[in-house]
Amino acid sequence: DLRGLTVEEALLEADQFIDNAVLSGLGQVTLIHGKGTGALRAAIHQHLRSHPSVGSYRLGSYGEGETGVTIVELK
């Protein structure tokens, strides 16, 4: 849950979360960034584009949190 964090804090948290998920053998994780202005979502998506452990990502669909979450598929 990255809501309420600054962009820098959120990116560090997301990296740690993704690294731990990869080490745990998970194939997918959900990052909760909230809807708000979209600034945090945009920064997270920009960061995920070049993350070495991320295969793909998408916004949540209906019932998953929609535009307030990002679903990340791990390599």
Side-chain angles (χ1 to χ4, degrees):
D1 188 348
L2 307 172
R3 293 175 290 183
L5 300 177
T6 66
V7 169
E8 291 174 3
E9 292 169 338
L11 294 180
L12 287 173
E13 285 286 324
D15 277 345
Q16 289 176 340
F17 185 64
I18 289 169
D19 290 345
N20 288 336
V22 169
L23 291 174
S24 297
L26 297 177
Q28 176 180 290
V29 295
T30 301
L31 300 177
I32 304 169
H33 42 68
K35 295 181 180 178
T37 64
L40 187 55
R41 176 182 66 232
I44 289 170
H45 285 191
Q46 178 69 30
H47 183 69
L48 293 175
R49 283 186 190 114
S50 60
H51 196 289
S53 298
V54 173
S56 64
Y57 62 91
R58 63 177 174 81
L59 288 175
S61 59
Y62 182 77
E64 289 180 317
E66 301 171 358
T67 61
V69 303
T70 296
I71 310 297
V72 181
E73 298 291 334
L74 303 172
K75 290 183 181 176

